């Protein structure tokens, strides 16, 4: 252990002690245990990321995580916790529920899964060495990432989901993560979704806080989408505003596939959502979107790495961030176009609306292009509400607050429009309206 | 209806209105003509309450009440309506949503009941038909992808729905072909009413063939320099603004 030296803070010391004391009780042995050790070695060697680490420059975890909260046990009343969740309640969906990171079978629709869909709770899958576990960790550009490694070391539960080849799933699959407790805790749920060739599915993911104590969530969802698949994914962060929320979406997108993923953030004290995506087959198209609404002292970071490793793929990224109060928004978007990825078509846009003098936005779009026959563009804007538009609306009779709300709604609405499902979009619009109503 | 006394206005330290006096009576259609840069659009913005203009002196009375301290929405609630020269586009806000929001906001300010959805739809449909505005346009984002003529018709639609008492038309003829101009003018003429007044701001006499004014005022150098009847517009059409530019200089 002598070579692992840069552990400094109390939280980092606690993490090392916790892993040492827990590792033999965490599910899985053999290969799984070896992978946990490797992942934790990375965590221990790097320490908590801080502003001197380029990819964490705007989100200093070492500063934010003063104490490492203990890994959550399965809550005694897990079902009761889940029952307090409200996200996507109005959307007809198959629910898979997780309380403080633990799979809650009694609040999951295992008995009525659509044809072609199979679900295995992760703890059981790890214990039995389920073959789908081989799909984990496939995205090269995600390797070495701190949050992903931390989850890989501590993952206790979650789910393995398989959508069989050619299945068009007619109901949305809703991954419902609910966090709540009366004492601080940490979570590390992991979900792997394999969408086999030609299948299509809508995936909803919600993260809600319903307790009284602050917590540290760190979820990972891995999506492996095969040839000719169509996946629509919507993620809602409605965590408690005193929570630290790390999340990762790692995607491998096969040939002739279509994926849309929208992340909506209204919750979390400090949050970071990471998307690592690798194109593994040609003629695929990707749309990534974000709609983030922040106030108070919230800090929300969205970090993307889109890896065009193969030719003839298209990616569109549209991220909207509204920042009020003393909040801080961060957008880091990197598009890599490898030497072989000719005819890549990539467009990335991040726009931020600052509603107060003390709001902050950090925009960092990056293009790394190694191929010579590509079309790539990125843009980043940051500004206040347009005075001329405000005057136009007020001159028609809208009071200032209502005029501002309408303009913010229009701004954020452009990202929400990426969701095709009307029921899902309706709920997101209602959440945006509720956020605005609180402002007035 | 409208009385402006000795209005002095600056923007970024530059004087635009220079002791302007103007009176418009209920039921009257008053035209303001003048060369570019004479302050016509500034006058319309200042009446509507745009923030960036600094009013140094004078008053604007609507039915005897000085409105200079009021927010634009409060002026709107008192019946002031400005049809913009360049109506703004608001992507993401459907025209229908917008119309309902502004109609109900004004009703609320006047302590009237909000419109029911069927009543709202009925009113919009009736007013839209008169202006040749189809349903598809109403579903689109406000003014997004509209032609110049469509934008101006949309302004008149809002005017018709809000039923203001004092309407300002700022260069409503700019960018319109003759057919569009006629539709817009018909829309305005159908709103003429003994209880309503209009201030029609225009550079050209053309619009005034279709919206025939009761009075014509010539503006130069930030003030009204001549007033007369509708024949004054024809005289200006023949002689141009050269005399007034010299007077201004």
């Amino acid at each position: 252990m002598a070579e692992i030296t840069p552990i400094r803070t109390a939280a980092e010391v606690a993490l090392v002690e916790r892993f040492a004391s827990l590792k033999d009780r965490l599910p899985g042995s053999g290969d799984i245990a070896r992978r946990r050790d490797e992942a934790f070695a990375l965590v221990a060697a790097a320490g908590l990321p801080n502003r001197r680490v380029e990819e964490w420059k705007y989100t200093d975890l070492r500063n934010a995580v003063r104490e490492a909260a203990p890994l959550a046990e399965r809550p005694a009343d897990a079902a009761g916790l889940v029952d307090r969740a409200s996200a996507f309640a109005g959307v007809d969906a198959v629910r898979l529920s997780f309380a403080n990171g633990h799979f809650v079978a009694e609040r999951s629709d295992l008995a009525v899964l659509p044809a072609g869909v199979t679900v295995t709770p992760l703890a059981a899958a790890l214990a039995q060495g389920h073959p789908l576990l081989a799909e984990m960790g496939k995205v090269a550009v995600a390797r070495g990432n701190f949050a992903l490694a931390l989850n890989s070391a501590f993952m206790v539960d979650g789910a393995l989901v398989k959508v069989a080849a050619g299945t068009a799933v007619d109901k949305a699959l809703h991954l419902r993560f609910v966090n709540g407790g009366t004492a601080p805790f940490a979570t590390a749920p992991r979900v792997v979704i394999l969408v086999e060739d030609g299948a299509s599915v809508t995936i909803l993911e919600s993260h809600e806080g319903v307790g009284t104590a602050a917590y540290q969530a760190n979820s990972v969802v891995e999506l492996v989408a095969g040839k000719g698949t169509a996946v629509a994914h919507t993620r809602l962060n409605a965590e408690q505003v005193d929570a630290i929320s790390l999340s990762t979406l790692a995607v491998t997108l096969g040939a002739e596939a279509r994926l849309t993923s929208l992340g909506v953030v209204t919750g979390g004290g400090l949050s970071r959502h990471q998307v690592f995506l690798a194109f593994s087959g040609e003629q695929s198209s990707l749309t990534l979107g974000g709609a983030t609404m922040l106030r108070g002292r919230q800090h929300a970071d969205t970090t993307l790495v889109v890896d065009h490793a193969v030719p003839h793929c298209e990616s569109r990224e549209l991220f909207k961030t509204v920042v009020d109060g003393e909040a801080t928004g961060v957008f880091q978007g990197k598009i890599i176009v490898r030497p072989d990825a000719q005819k890549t078509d990539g467009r990335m846009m991040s726009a931020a609306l600052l509603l107060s003098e003390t709001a902050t936005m950090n925009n960092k779009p990056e293009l790394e292009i190694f191929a010579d026959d590509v079309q790539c563009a990125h843009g980043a804007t940051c500004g206040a509400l347009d005075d001329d538009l405000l005057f136009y609306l007020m001159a028609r009779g809208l009071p200032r607050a209502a005029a501002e709300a309408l303009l913010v709604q229009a701004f954020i609405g452009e990202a929400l429009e990426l969701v095709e499902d009307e029921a899902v979009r309706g709920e997101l619009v209602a959440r945006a309206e509720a956020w605005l109503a609180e402002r007035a | 209806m409208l009385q402006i006394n000795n209005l002095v206005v600056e923007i970024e330290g530059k004087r635009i209105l220079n002791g302007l006096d103007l009176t418009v009576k209920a039921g009257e259609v008053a035209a303001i003509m003048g060369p570019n840069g004479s302050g016509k659009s500034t006058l319309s913005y200042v009446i509507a309450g745009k923030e960036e203009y600094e009013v140094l002196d004078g008053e604007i009375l609507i039915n005897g009440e000085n409105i200079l301290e009021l927010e634009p929405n409060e002026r709107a609630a008192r019946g002031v309506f400005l049809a913009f020269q360049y109506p703004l586009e608001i992507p993401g806000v459907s025209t229908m949503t917008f119309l309902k929001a502004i109609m109900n906001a004004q009703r609320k300010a006047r302590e009237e009941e909000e419109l029911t959805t069927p009543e709202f739809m009925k009113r919009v449909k009736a007013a839209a038909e008169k202006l040749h505005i189809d349903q598809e346009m109403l579903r689109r984002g406000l003014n997004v992808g509209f032609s110049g003529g469509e934008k101006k018709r949309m302004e008149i639609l809002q005017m018709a729905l809000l039923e203001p008492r004092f309407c300002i038309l700022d260069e409503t003829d700019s960018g319109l072909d003759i057919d569009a101009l006629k539709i817009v003018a018909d829309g305005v003429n159908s709103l003429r009413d003994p209880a309503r007044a209009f201030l029609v701001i225009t550079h050209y006499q053309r619009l005034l063939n279709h919206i025939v004014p009761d009075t014509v005022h010539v503006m130069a150098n930030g003030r009204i320099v001549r007033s007369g009847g509708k024949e004054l517009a024809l005289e200006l059409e023949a002689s141009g603004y050269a005399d007034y530019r010299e007077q201004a200089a």
Side-chain angles (χ1 to χ4, degrees), chain A residues 388 392-394 396 400, chain B residues 50-51 82 106 155 158:
Chain A
D388 289 335
Y392 185 60
L393 295 176
M394 290 177 72
R396 293 292 139 90
R400 183 175 298 275
Chain B
K50 199 165 191 203
E51 249 176 18
L82 168 63
Q106 293 213 11
E155 293 288 282
Q158 292 169 44

Side-chain angles (χ1 to χ4, degrees), chain A residues 12 33 87 100 113 125 151 167 169 176 268 270 300-301 313 328 356 395 421:
Chain A
E12 288 165 341
N100 297 353
L113 291 174
N151 178 284
T167 309
V169 184
R176 177 168 53 179
L270 177 145
D301 174 336
C313 288
T328 302
S356 78
D421 186 304

